[in-house]
Amino acid sequence: MSDFKRRDFLRAVGVTGGAGTMFAAMGALGLAPTARAADAEPAFTAPRASDFTLTGRAAAEVVIVGGGIAGLTAAYELGKAGYDCTVLEAGERAGGRNLTVRGGDTVIDTHGGKQTAQFSDGHYMNTGPARIPQWMITMDYCRELGVPLEVFTNVNASAYIHTSRTAPDPVRFRTAKADVYGYVAELLAKATDQGALDKELTAADRERLLEFLRDFGDIGGRVPDDPARSWRYTGSTRRGYRTDPGAAGTPGTVLGPVPSVSDVLTSGVGRAFSFEFGYDQAMLMYQPVGGMDRIPQALTRAVGERKIRTGAVVTRITDTAHGVTVTYTHQGSTRTLDADYCIAALPPNILARTPHNLGGAVQSALEACTPDSVAKLGLEYRSRWWENDHRIYGGITNTELDLGVIWYPSHAFHAERGVVIGYYNFGRDADAYGKPSPKERERRAVAQGVKIHGTKYRTELRSSFSQHWRQMPHVEAAWHSLEGGPDAARFAALTKPAGRVYFAGDYLSHTVAWQHGAFSSARKVVGEVHRRVVG
Amino acid sequence: MSDFKRRDFLRAVGVTGGAGTMFAAMGALGLAPTARAADAEPAFTAPRASDFTLTGRAAAEVVIVGGGIAGLTAAYELGKAGYDCTVLEAGERAGGRNLTVRGGDTVIDTHGGKQTAQFSDGHYMNTGPARIPQWMITMDYCRELGVPLEVFTNVNASAYIHTSRTAPDPVRFRTAKADVYGYVAELLAKATDQGALDKELTAADRERLLEFLRDFGDIGGRVPDDPARSWRYTGSTRRGYRTDPGAAGTPGTVLGPVPSVSDVLTSGVGRAFSFEFGYDQAMLMYQPVGGMDRIPQALTRAVGERKIRTGAVVTRITDTAHGVTVTYTHQGSTRTLDADYCIAALPPNILARTPHNLGGAVQSALEACTPDSVAKLGLEYRSRWWENDHRIYGGITNTELDLGVIWYPSHAFHAERGVVIGYYNFGRDADAYGKPSPKERERRAVAQGVKIHGTKYRTELRSSFSQHWRQMPHVEAAWHSLEGGPDAARFAALTKPAGRVYFAGDYLSHTVAWQHGAFSSARKVVGEVHRRVVG
C-alpha cells in the first residue's frame, strides 16, 4: 500500500465511506442545527430474555470466532438475552488489537521474534487503539461497563511541529498558529478592505468579517489613508514567551522575531492544523484510566471468562443445513463445535485463509480487503524531560520524519518516569521500521527524535517496546482498507449472512480502525441474528 | 468597573502589562525560535540553610500577613533556609481565594448570608482559581509538593456557542469552526487566485497559501476557467454528523444544511475562537486531582500547621527602627507579634484599610488598586445529562447571556452526578448576580441555561452554591486591576519594601488573577528579604 500520513488515511476513510457527501435537510434557520437533543446513533436495543417469552422460541447457540472487540461485544449483547455463546480466540488473551503492554508482557511475532516489555509499574503503552472521541459508542460501553475515563491529550498548543524548514528548531503549535492565523487574517482583511470581495460580501458582511479577523489574527486595525499599514500582523502574545511574565519587574518577553509571511508559508507548519478539526480527532478525547485494555477486560468479565476459549485456532468453518460446525485446534488437539449460528469476528485476512464453505463471493470479498501496516514504539524514560524541560504535558508533536508523530503520555503527570510513543506511522514507514530488530528500531527512532528533543531523548531512555501489527500472530494487519467502503458491491457478501454465518468487525463499518466500528458492526449482526431467532 | 468578558479582561491585562509590545531578537532563522531548551522563568533559587554558614548571620523572624498562595509560598520558601515564619490568616483556613467548596462547607458572606454546600461526595467546585496553564510555575509547585494533576478541559469541540443569532439552537464549536474556517479559506483563496494579493505574495507563496487553505478550510480546488465555482466551501464532515457513521449500511449523515457566508458572519460564532489561542488559556490545561485546594493544603503541610494562625485579623502594621510589630485580634483578644520583617500578602483593598505607618505613597498605591467583581455558581445535577444526552464530556460553552460561560466538569466522567459551573461572569454581570439571595441567583441562572440545554437544566438540578468574591470576608475582590500594570510609577511604593515591610500578591505581578502571579510575587519578595538578611 502507499505511504500516507494518518490524516490522509482518515480523510480517505471519510471519502470512501461516502459520509462527506450526504447532507440532511434540517431546521429552517439555515444555521448549523444540532444541540438540545443527543446526536444519537441509530437506535440499538440489546436483545432481552423477555423477547423470547411470547414466541415460544429459545435463545440459540452461537459460536463466535475471534475475541476482539467485535467478538466480545457480540457475546456480551447476545448474552443479555440468554444466548449460549462461545468465543474462540486464537491468541492467549481476548481483546484483539486492543492490546495494552505493561512491564513483563511478552509478544512473540510471526517471525518468532520475542519481546518482553520492561516498563515500570503504572506505565504502559496502548499498542492498538489509544483514543476515544466523545461521540463514539465506545464511550457508552465504558459507561455501561464501568470503565473509568480520563482525557486523552490529542492536541497541545505547547507541542511541536517539526518540518525540514523549521530545523534545527521545531516550532510550538501555539507559535505556528499565531503566525499563520495572523497572516491569513492580514491578507484577507486587506483584500476585503480593498474591494476584492465586494462581489462575494455585502458591506455589512465585510465589516463583520473585518471585526472577526482582527480578533482571529490579533492584527492591527484600519489605518486611514494608508492601506499598506492597515490590518498588519506584527506578532502577538499568542506566540508564547521567551521569558514568561512573572512578578512586578518581569513583564516577560514575547517570542520573536516574527517571521515574514513568506517564511511562514514556506515552513509548511500550517499543514499540521487540520488534524484537530476532524470529527474523529477533535479534542476532547478520552482513554480508560489504566490502559485501553480495561475495555476488553470489562467485556470479558461481563461475558464470563469460561465462555471465552483462548488458544483456539479455527481451522474450518462449515455452514450446514441447520447450523454451523467450527473446527479448531486447542492445546495440540483438534476439536469441533456445533452451534446454531456463527459470527465470524476475526480479521478478514485471517478468515480469507481459513477453509470454509461460504462460497466464492465471500472469499473474493475477503481477499479484496487490503491489510494496512501500522507501527508503534513505546520509549520508557527515567525522567519526564518533556514536562520538566519543555513544559509539554501530554499531546502530540507532528513531524515530517518517518516517525510520523511523537506522543507524550496522557497520565501520571509529574511521575518519575513515563512512556513516550516514539513513532506511530503507516504504510512504508511502518514496514521500514518493522524489518529490523527491536533494538535497531529503537536506535533509528531515537536518532530521529534527537533532532527534535536533543540528547535527553537518548540519554534518559530506559527501555522500549515496538509493535508492528503486520507481524502480530492471528492478526497480521493494523486494519483493512475497503475500496469504496463496506457498502460497495464487492463487499456485499460480507454485510449479509452466508447461510448461518455472519461477519463482524471494524472493517465492515464506516469507522475503520476505531473500536466504534467494531462495536457498531457487532451490534448490527447481533440485531440480525436476534431478529432471525425471535422472528 | 465596566462590564467586560473574560477574554477582554485577559487582553487588557496583557496590554497593561506591556507584554505584548516587547520582542526579543533571537535566532537567525526568522522562524519562531523556541524549543529544545526550557522556556524557563527567570531563575529562582530558594533560600538554603547553608546560605548562612559563611555569613555568621542567622535566619530572621518574619511575620506574614495573609495565608493565601503568596503568603504560604513566602513561608514555604523562607522556611527552607530556617526562617522563623508566622502566617496570620484572617479566615478560618489558609488558601485565600484558592477555595474549593465541598458538601458540608459553609461560607458566610460580608452581609451575614450563610450558604452550606450540599454537593455529594467526590464532587466539588473550585470557586477561585480552577485551571493551570502548562508554562506557569504553579505546575512546578504541584510537582515539588506532590500534588497530582489531571487535564482541565478548557476547550471542547463538542461544547456549544450560544449567540442571539444562533437561537433557539446553539451551535457546537466544531460546526462553527468548520463553517467559519471554510468560508475564510474560500474568500482568501478566491482573492488570492484572482490577483488581489499579487503585491503581497510571490507566485510561489500564493500556491503555498492556496494549498494550505484547501486543507485548512476543507474547500474545493480551482475549477479551470470558472472562478465562481473555484475554492468553494460546501460543508465538511468537520461540521459533525446528524447521524453518526456506524456499521455497514450506516454511513452517517453530515449536519446540514450549510449556512451561507452571510449567515455565518452574522451569527457571530467566530468571536468565541480566539479565547483558546491565548498564552494563558490554550489547551492543554491542568487541575489538581480532587480540587484546587490540594495546593494550599500541601503548602500548609510543608510550612507546618502550627506556623499558620487562622482567625487572626490584623489591625495594625507598624514598621519600627529595627523590626515590625503586627497587632491582630484572635479569639476575641488583641495580640501583638514582633518580627524582623513583615510580608504583607493580603489583598490590597484590605490592607488599604488596615492602620499602618508605611507612608502616604504606600496608601495611595493601595487605593489605586481597583477591586474586580467575579462570580461563580456551582450546580449539582443528579445525572450527567450533558454527557449522556449531549455527548459533551467536559469543556466550556460560550454564551452571550449574563452567565458568561457554562463549564462542564473535568473529572468523574460517567459518574452518577456532577457539578456544572452555571455562571462565571465579571463586572456588572457578577454584581447583578451577587445582589439577590443564593436561591434567586440559582433561579435566574437556571432560566438562562434552559435556553441552551433545555428543561433538564432545571429538572435534574439537585443543589447549588454561589460564590461572589466581592462579598467574601477578608477578601472582598476577585482580583485587582492595576492601571498601567504593577510596574507603573503609581505602584512603585508597593514593589519595594516600606522599611521592613514587603508586599506580595498576584496583584503585584504581570499575571493578575493567576496563582502563578502570587507564586512569582512571593518568590521575588523572598529573594529580596533573603539577600538583605544574608547581606
Side-chain angles (χ1 to χ4, degrees):
Chain A
M1 60 168 292
S2 68
D3 179 24
F4 52 73
K5 302 288 183 199
R6 174 76 175 172
R7 63 200 179 102
D8 297 322
F9 167 77
L10 293 164
R11 186 172 306 132
V13 170
V15 170
T16 57
T21 60
M22 300 186 61
F23 291 82
M26 279 186 71
L29 245 201
L31 190 67
T34 169
R36 208 164 286 259
D39 294 351
E41 264 284 290
F44 168 75
T45 307
R48 292 163 300 187
S50 60
D51 295 342
F52 291 107
T53 47
L54 291 177
T55 63
R57 296 174 193 270
E61 280 180 68
V62 180
V63 57
I64 297 167
V65 182
I69 296 299
L72 291 173
T73 303
Y76 172 62
E77 294 294 354
L78 289 169
K80 291 176 180 175
Y83 282 83
D84 182 6
C85 297
T86 303
V87 178
L88 299 177
E89 165 55 44
E92 294 308 313
R93 46 143 212 100
R97 286 162 288 163
N98 182 326
L99 171 63
T100 302
V101 167
R102 300 181 182 79
D105 288 345
T106 293
V107 170
I108 300 173
D109 67 26
T110 48
H111 306 301
K114 178 176 168 179
Q115 281 185 88
T116 300
Q118 306 295 331
F119 300 148
S120 308
D121 274 2
H123 301 282
Y124 62 82
M125 168 190 179
N126 290 324
T127 65
R131 46 190 165 196
I132 312 174
Q134 294 160 90
W135 57 269
M136 289 190 174
I137 59 177
T138 314
M139 298 294 279
D140 302 315
Y141 279 98
C142 288
R143 180 171 54 224
E144 184 169 323
L145 296 163
V147 174
L149 294 168
E150 64 194 359
V151 173
F152 176 85
T153 59
N154 207 41
V155 175
N156 188 352
S158 294
Y160 295 128
I161 303 172
H162 178 273
T163 81
S164 54
R165 298 299 301 256
T166 64
D169 284 324
V171 57
R172 291 186 196 265
F173 269 87
R174 71 167 82 246
T175 314
K177 275 193 189 169
D179 291 343
V180 173
Y181 292 4
Y183 283 122
V184 160
E186 174 179 332
L187 293 168
L188 182 52
K190 284 179 169 170
T192 302
D193 206 26
Q194 290 164 22
L197 293 162
D198 286 4
K199 275 191 289 191
E200 308 279 337
L201 300 170
T202 66
D205 287 340
R206 292 199 294 274
E207 287 307 313
R208 290 189 189 103
L209 177 60
L210 289 168
E211 185 192 348
F212 164 75
L213 293 171
R214 281 203 65 176
D215 180 54
F216 176 69
D218 203 7
I219 57 174
R222 185 186 281 125
V223 180
D225 303 322
D226 195 345
R229 285 181 51 232
S230 294
W231 315 111
R232 281 181 62 193
Y233 174 69
T234 55
S236 165
T237 58
R238 297 174 187 169
R239 305 190 87 232
Y241 283 68
R242 183 187 183 182
T243 307
D244 283 327
T250 309
T253 311
V254 175
L255 269 180
V258 180
S260 70
V261 62
S262 185
D263 283 346
V264 169
L265 290 171
T266 306
S267 74
V269 292
R271 71 174 166 72
F273 299 169
S274 67
F275 170 75
E276 71 184 78
F277 305 153
Y279 189 48
D280 47 8
Q281 296 290 354
M283 284 284 274
L284 297 165
M285 301 191 80
Y286 287 84
Q287 66 179 12
V289 176
M292 190 58 85
D293 66 355
R294 298 304 189 217
I295 293 175
Q297 286 170 0
L299 280 168
T300 297
R301 278 193 302 275
V303 167
E305 222 160 326
R306 64 185 175 75
K307 298 199 170 170
I308 302 168
R309 213 160 293 173
T310 55
V313 180
V314 169
T315 54
R316 181 174 296 278
I317 298 174
T318 309
D319 179 61
T320 67
H322 304 290
V324 182
T325 300
V326 174
T327 311
Y328 64 99
T329 60
H330 188 250
Q331 298 175 340
S333 58
T334 299
R335 305 182 185 198
T336 60
L337 190 62
D338 295 319
D340 298 310
Y341 299 96
C342 173
I343 296 175
L346 67 173
N349 51 333
I350 306 298
L351 182 55
R353 61 182 198 231
T354 304
H356 63 74
N357 70 340
L358 306 177
V362 165
Q363 187 61 23
S364 301
L366 290 170
E367 290 174 3
C369 300
T370 309
D372 288 329
S373 294
V374 175
K376 246 185 209 174
L377 170 72
L379 299 167
E380 190 187 17
Y381 286 96
R382 67 186 94 251
S383 72
R384 292 172 84 98
W385 47 262
W386 56 95
E387 295 176 355
N388 303 341
D389 297 352
H390 297 260
R391 302 198 80 94
I392 296 174
Y393 289 83
I396 297 179
T397 279
N398 183 299
T399 88
E400 281 182 348
L401 305 172
D402 59 12
L403 309 175
V405 288
I406 293 174
W407 288 10
Y408 312 97
S410 293
H411 76 290
F413 305 107
H414 282 160
E416 190 186 343
R417 298 168 175 171
V419 175
V420 166
I421 300 299
Y423 56 70
Y424 177 32
N425 51 20
F426 307 90
R428 272 201 299 267
D429 286 339
D431 290 336
Y433 272 98
K435 286 194 189 80
S437 70
K439 204 64 200 168
E440 174 63 11
R441 296 169 188 166
E442 174 193 299
R443 195 198 60 73
R444 283 179 55 171
V446 166
Q448 295 283 62
V450 164
K451 297 177 186 170
I452 297 172
H453 281 301
T455 53
K456 279 193 181 177
Y457 204 83
R458 178 180 292 117
T459 56
E460 293 296 294
L461 186 64
R462 204 173 160 273
S463 72
S464 72
F465 185 94
S466 49
Q467 176 74 356
H468 287 67
W469 283 102
R470 294 297 296 276
Q471 301 173 13
M472 186 69 177
H474 314 300
V475 181
E476 298 186 25
W479 52 68
H480 285 78
S481 294
L482 276 63
E483 198 183 328
D487 293 323
R490 66 199 312 192
F491 302 110
L494 300 176
T495 56
K496 60 185 180 190
R500 287 169 168 263
V501 177
Y502 293 74
F503 306 93
D506 67 289
Y507 72 106
L508 295 174
S509 81
H510 290 273
T511 55
V512 173
W514 293 94
Q515 293 176 90
H516 174 85
F519 283 121
S520 300
S521 176
R523 284 182 169 193
K524 172 176 177 282
V525 165
V526 162
E528 289 167 356
V529 169
H530 188 54
R531 281 191 294 277
R532 185 166 169 180
V533 170
V534 173
Chain B
M1 63 167 289
S2 68
D3 178 24
F4 52 73
K5 303 288 185 199
R6 174 77 174 172
R7 63 201 178 99
D8 297 322
F9 167 77
L10 292 164
R11 186 172 307 130
V13 170
V15 170
T16 57
T21 61
M22 300 186 61
F23 291 82
M26 281 186 70
L29 243 200
L31 191 67
T34 170
R36 208 164 286 259
D39 294 351
E41 263 286 290
F44 168 77
T45 307
R48 293 162 300 188
S50 60
D51 295 343
F52 291 106
T53 48
L54 292 178
T55 64
R57 297 174 192 268
E61 280 179 67
V62 181
V63 56
I64 296 167
V65 181
I69 296 299
L72 292 173
T73 302
Y76 172 62
E77 294 294 354
L78 288 169
K80 291 176 179 175
Y83 283 84
D84 181 7
C85 296
T86 303
V87 178
L88 300 177
E89 166 54 44
E92 294 308 314
R93 45 140 212 101
R97 286 163 288 163
N98 182 325
L99 170 62
T100 301
V101 167
R102 300 182 182 79
D105 287 346
T106 293
V107 171
I108 300 173
D109 68 26
T110 48
H111 306 302
K114 179 176 168 178
Q115 281 185 87
T116 299
Q118 306 295 331
F119 300 148
S120 309
D121 274 2
H123 300 283
Y124 61 82
M125 169 189 179
N126 289 324
T127 65
R131 47 190 165 196
I132 312 173
Q134 294 159 91
W135 59 269
M136 289 191 173
I137 59 176
T138 315
M139 297 294 280
D140 301 315
Y141 279 97
C142 288
R143 180 171 54 225
E144 183 168 323
L145 296 163
V147 174
L149 294 168
E150 63 194 0
V151 173
F152 176 85
T153 58
N154 207 40
V155 176
N156 187 353
S158 293
Y160 295 127
I161 303 172
H162 178 272
T163 81
S164 53
R165 298 300 301 256
T166 63
D169 283 323
V171 57
R172 292 186 195 265
F173 269 87
R174 70 168 82 246
T175 314
K177 276 193 188 168
D179 291 343
V180 173
Y181 292 3
Y183 282 122
V184 161
E186 173 179 333
L187 293 169
L188 183 52
K190 283 180 170 170
T192 303
D193 207 26
Q194 291 164 22
L197 293 162
D198 286 4
K199 276 190 287 189
E200 309 280 337
L201 300 169
T202 67
D205 287 340
R206 291 198 296 272
E207 287 308 312
R208 290 188 188 104
L209 177 60
L210 289 168
E211 185 191 348
F212 164 75
L213 292 172
R214 279 203 66 176
D215 180 52
F216 176 70
D218 204 7
I219 57 175
R222 186 187 280 123
V223 180
D225 304 322
D226 195 345
R229 285 181 52 234
S230 294
W231 315 110
R232 281 181 63 192
Y233 173 68
T234 55
S236 165
T237 58
R238 296 174 187 169
R239 307 190 86 232
Y241 284 68
R242 182 187 185 183
T243 306
D244 284 327
T250 308
T253 311
V254 175
L255 268 181
V258 180
S260 69
V261 63
S262 185
D263 284 344
V264 168
L265 290 172
T266 306
S267 75
V269 293
R271 71 174 166 71
F273 299 168
S274 66
F275 171 74
E276 72 185 78
F277 304 153
Y279 188 49
D280 47 8
Q281 295 290 354
M283 285 283 275
L284 298 165
M285 301 191 80
Y286 288 84
Q287 66 178 11
V289 176
M292 190 59 83
D293 65 357
R294 300 304 191 217
I295 293 174
Q297 286 170 2
L299 280 168
T300 297
R301 277 194 302 275
V303 167
E305 223 161 326
R306 63 185 177 76
K307 298 198 172 173
I308 302 168
R309 213 160 293 171
T310 56
V313 180
V314 170
T315 55
R316 181 174 297 276
I317 298 174
T318 309
D319 180 60
T320 67
H322 305 291
V324 182
T325 299
V326 174
T327 310
Y328 65 98
T329 61
H330 189 250
Q331 298 175 342
S333 57
T334 300
R335 305 182 184 197
T336 61
L337 191 61
D338 295 319
D340 299 309
Y341 299 97
C342 172
I343 296 176
L346 66 175
N349 50 332
I350 306 298
L351 181 55
R353 62 182 197 229
T354 305
H356 63 75
N357 70 340
L358 306 177
V362 165
Q363 186 63 21
S364 300
L366 290 170
E367 290 174 3
C369 300
T370 309
D372 288 330
S373 294
V374 176
K376 244 185 209 174
L377 169 71
L379 299 166
E380 190 186 19
Y381 286 96
R382 66 187 93 252
S383 73
R384 292 172 84 97
W385 47 262
W386 56 94
E387 295 176 353
N388 303 340
D389 297 352
H390 296 261
R391 302 198 82 91
I392 295 174
Y393 288 83
I396 297 179
T397 280
N398 183 300
T399 86
E400 282 182 348
L401 305 172
D402 58 13
L403 308 175
V405 288
I406 293 174
W407 287 9
Y408 312 97
S410 293
H411 75 289
F413 305 107
H414 282 159
E416 190 186 344
R417 298 167 176 172
V419 174
V420 166
I421 299 298
Y423 56 70
Y424 177 32
N425 50 21
F426 308 89
R428 271 203 299 268
D429 287 340
D431 290 336
Y433 271 98
K435 285 193 190 80
S437 69
K439 204 64 200 169
E440 173 63 11
R441 297 170 188 166
E442 174 193 299
R443 195 198 61 73
R444 282 178 56 170
V446 166
Q448 294 285 62
V450 164
K451 296 176 187 171
I452 296 172
H453 280 301
T455 54
K456 279 193 181 177
Y457 205 83
R458 178 179 291 117
T459 57
E460 293 296 293
L461 186 64
R462 204 172 159 272
S463 72
S464 72
F465 184 94
S466 48
Q467 177 74 357
H468 286 68
W469 283 103
R470 294 297 296 276
Q471 302 173 12
M472 186 69 177
H474 314 301
V475 182
E476 298 186 25
W479 54 68
H480 285 78
S481 294
L482 275 63
E483 199 184 326
D487 292 324
R490 65 198 316 193
F491 302 109
L494 301 176
T495 57
K496 59 185 180 190
R500 288 171 169 262
V501 177
Y502 293 75
F503 306 93
D506 67 289
Y507 72 106
L508 295 174
S509 82
H510 290 274
T511 55
V512 172
W514 293 95
Q515 292 177 90
H516 173 85
F519 284 121
S520 299
S521 175
R523 284 183 169 192
K524 171 176 178 283
V525 165
V526 162
E528 289 167 357
V529 169
H530 188 55
R531 280 191 293 278
R532 185 164 169 182
V533 170
V534 173

